[in-house]
Amino acid sequence: MTRRILVVGGVAGGATTAAQLRRLDEECEIVMFEKDEHISFGNCGMPYFIGDIIKERDHLFAADPESMKEKLNIDVRVFNEVLSIDRNEKSIKVKDLRSKEEYLENYDYLVLAPGAAPFLPPIDGLKESRHFVLRNIEDMDRIKQFIETKQPSSCSIIGGGFIGIEMAENLSARGLDVNLIEASSHLMGVLDDEMSEIIEEEVRAHGVHVLLNDGVQEVDEKGVIVTQRGKEIHSDFIIVAAGVRPQTKLAEDAGLSIGKTGGIVVNEYMQTSDTSIYAVGDAVESKSAITGKPVRIPLAWPAHRQSYIAAKHLSGDPVRFKGLLGTSVVKIFSLTAASTGLNEKQLLDENISFHTVTHTGKSHAGYYPGAERVSIRMHFCKDSGRILGAQIIGGEGVDKRMDIIAASINGNITADRLQEIETAYSPPYSSPKDLINIIGYKAESMIKNKSRD
């Protein structure tokens, strides 16, 4: 009998699971439900379309319902919202948002990919103000249309994480006067304080007004932001980039287990507490590859990997999900910042003993034109040398060096053995002894000194 697999949600989690599953199983019936219009798009590219770096809107789209049907024989139903799950009957209730019709669909297996929604802080007057969030294509279009039709001269961004910084750069590039407001002591909370300070200097150098340690108290009736320290900020509109929250209501209402991080609990094959129901993407609680403890990391790579794991298990060829490092990279004007694993604060909170090794050097041979400053900060276990986390900020080559460190953690290569990695060398790209090698030599020295103690 042909298995019937229903997928709730599109984009990186749902659409990828459906496509992977079809490539692994040509016989099963796959139906995907998406309450919005678009099923597969590059949401990480949206700030750059708003900033007019990406010129063609269509370039953000990876697939549409017609191509999914034609190429993969997947029935995709947009503007169809899944309202509830009946686990006993193995069915879902769906509402067609255009016709308002409600109907039932039975399943053999169900995959949940509801994603995460932008968090709107409980700030007095915020909902009544001219504010935007950025989660999907519709949000992107609203922001872009507002800028092009209203011609605003200023914007205030609430939140100094990935989206906040990317929007600050892109709006500034369009000539807007930008305020970036962050309630904590530094931008980019995934970084150590010393590394965040490099970012803050770069952002300010490009004309963005950065407010740290000062959250938004209220937005008055004229749209003026009043901070907790009493500062008044006038701007034409507000972007809220204060993080995201997993959309777990459907799972909760169905009685599926929700973890301490607020995400849907899954096992190493992405099965929920009901083995007929899988979950992937931003709404899922994963585990840290460093500590083994629950984490929730709403990034694109985890969603794609989890989709593959779920599809492999559904096709009868299981692969275990081994956990996440949270490897990430972000462009900040002329700099690139990347991180993986745990930062200093997280290590202290976990009561993990560690050494920290740092180095600042040139991105490639100094005598070749265009060499840029690169700073590396890496934490490793005092006893075993196991790499626990790292951060790199600078010009070119930041991403490739972070990828080497992330691969080293996955491959159980210790901090001192980074000196052994044979990196590709040519003056335009690196040095005979790469920055990664130097970090390894420094780590070895620290480990030897520790053994002498």
Side-chain angles (χ1 to χ4, degrees):
M1 180 181 294
T2 301
R3 296 182 305 162
R4 196 161 199 261
I5 302 172
L6 307 184
V7 180
V8 181
V11 201
T16 305
T17 301
Q20 289 280 5
L21 185 57
R22 173 56 74 224
R23 295 183 179 100
L24 296 169
D25 186 339
E26 296 180 356
E27 302 300 325
C28 67
E29 180 184 359
I30 305 173
V31 185
M32 186 168 72
F33 303 87
E34 171 57 55
K35 66 180 181 180
D36 296 326
E37 179 182 1
H38 305 287
I39 60 164
S40 184
F41 57 91
N43 49 5
C44 294
M46 293 190 297
Y48 301 99
F49 178 73
I50 293 170
D52 215 24
I53 303 300
I54 297 172
K55 302 292 185 181
E56 298 295 331
R57 181 177 180 273
D58 289 347
H59 289 176
L60 293 174
F61 299 103
D64 56 35
E66 292 73 26
S67 65
M68 293 281 278
K69 180 64 176 178
E70 179 183 349
K71 296 178 181 178
L72 299 173
N73 191 26
I74 296 172
D75 179 4
V76 179
R77 304 179 190 177
V78 295
F79 297 116
N80 275 246
E81 181 179 7
V82 176
L83 302 177
S84 62
I85 303 168
D86 187 329
R87 290 167 54 193
N88 293 325
E89 295 294 326
K90 297 187 78 169
S91 68
I92 59 174
K93 181 189 288 187
V94 186
K95 182 176 182 178
D96 186 320
L97 299 178
R98 289 171 292 194
S99 69
K100 309 303 180 186
E101 173 193 1
E102 295 184 4
Y103 60 97
L104 299 178
E105 291 285 356
N106 294 316
Y107 64 85
D108 294 305
Y109 295 98
L110 180 66
V111 180
L112 302 179
F119 172 62
L120 208 63
I123 297 169
D124 290 344
L126 178 60
K127 290 183 178 180
E128 293 74 34
S129 69
R130 184 179 288 154
H131 74 278
F132 300 90
V133 296
L134 183 59
R135 174 183 178 268
N136 55 30
I137 293 294
E138 290 77 14
D139 294 332
M140 179 189 77
D141 288 342
R142 279 191 286 269
I143 296 171
K144 182 101 168 182
Q145 183 181 32
F146 176 80
I147 292 172
E148 293 179 349
T149 58
K150 302 298 184 182
Q151 297 290 305
S153 61
S154 60
C155 174
S156 291
I157 300 171
I158 301 174
F162 290 102
I163 296 296
I165 286 178
E166 289 172 348
M167 286 302 299
E169 176 180 352
N170 281 281
L171 293 176
S172 179
R174 292 199 62 146
L176 275 72
D177 189 40
V178 179
N179 304 290
L180 186 55
I181 307 168
E182 172 56 50
S184 62
S185 57
H186 288 287
L187 300 179
M188 294 294 296
V190 298
L191 304 178
D192 292 344
D193 291 351
E194 292 86 345
M195 302 298 265
S196 295
E197 288 167 1
I198 299 173
I199 291 174
E200 290 152 14
E201 182 179 344
E202 174 75 2
V203 173
R204 288 188 171 111
H206 283 82
V208 175
H209 311 290
V210 179
L211 280 78
L212 300 174
N213 267 324
D214 196 4
V216 177
Q217 180 70 38
E218 66 171 329
V219 182
D220 70 19
E221 64 278 1
K222 295 181 180 179
V224 176
I225 290 174
V226 181
T227 72
Q228 292 171 349
R229 293 188 176 186
K231 185 177 179 63
E232 293 188 354
I233 301 173
H234 298 255
S235 56
D236 294 325
F237 68 106
I238 298 169
I239 298 286
V240 182
V244 296
R245 297 293 183 269
Q247 298 196 104
T248 58
K249 186 178 186 305
L250 194 63
E252 288 183 72
D253 290 348
L256 300 178
S257 295
I258 305 298
K260 60 177 65 176
T261 68
I264 303 168
V265 173
V266 293
N267 64 14
E268 58 192 346
Y269 302 112
M270 308 314 296
Q271 291 171 297
T272 68
S273 51
D274 182 329
T275 56
S276 295
I277 303 177
Y278 295 70
V280 299
D282 292 353
V284 164
E285 178 175 275
S286 301
K287 70 173 183 178
S288 166
I290 301 295
T291 67
K293 293 183 178 181
V295 293
R296 191 173 51 79
I297 301 177
L299 295 172
W301 190 91
H304 281 268
R305 182 60 182 171
Q306 291 163 359
S307 298
Y308 176 77
I309 298 294
K312 289 286 281 185
H313 194 261
L314 281 162
S315 66
D317 185 18
V319 174
R320 289 183 172 87
F321 186 69
K322 297 180 180 179
L324 293 172
L325 294 173
T327 307
S328 63
V329 64
V330 61
K331 180 181 179 298
I332 308 161
F333 293 98
S334 65
L335 295 181
T336 298
S339 68
T340 193
L342 303 184
N343 62 28
E344 186 174 59
K345 182 180 184 303
Q346 291 168 325
L347 289 167
L348 292 172
D349 288 345
E350 293 289 340
N351 199 28
I352 298 174
S353 297
F354 64 95
H355 281 308
T356 300
V357 59
T358 64
H359 182 71
T360 297
K362 296 292 186 180
S363 57
H364 61 245
Y367 57 80
Y368 187 89
E372 298 176 312
R373 179 186 176 97
V374 175
S375 297
I376 304 179
R377 184 176 175 85
M378 187 177 75
H379 308 299
F380 62 95
C381 179
K382 288 183 176 180
D383 297 322
S384 67
R386 180 192 183 199
I387 302 171
L388 301 170
Q391 299 148 41
I392 309 177
I393 297 179
E396 63 181 7
V398 167
D399 54 336
K400 77 169 183 177
R401 293 178 173 101
M402 183 53 68
D403 290 342
I404 290 173
I405 294 178
S408 297
I409 297 175
N410 282 329
N412 295 315
I413 295 173
T414 54
D416 55 312
R417 289 189 58 211
L418 291 177
Q419 64 182 274
E420 302 173 13
I421 293 179
E422 187 178 352
T423 59
Y425 163 63
S426 179
Y429 303 105
S430 61
S431 297
K433 186 163 61 178
D434 190 75
L435 299 175
I436 288 293
N437 301 137
I438 295 173
I439 282 288
Y441 285 115
K442 286 189 171 183
E444 179 190 42
S445 177
M446 296 173 76
I447 292 170
K448 284 184 175 179
N449 288 337
K450 168 73 167 56
S451 63
R452 292 193 191 101
D453 295 342

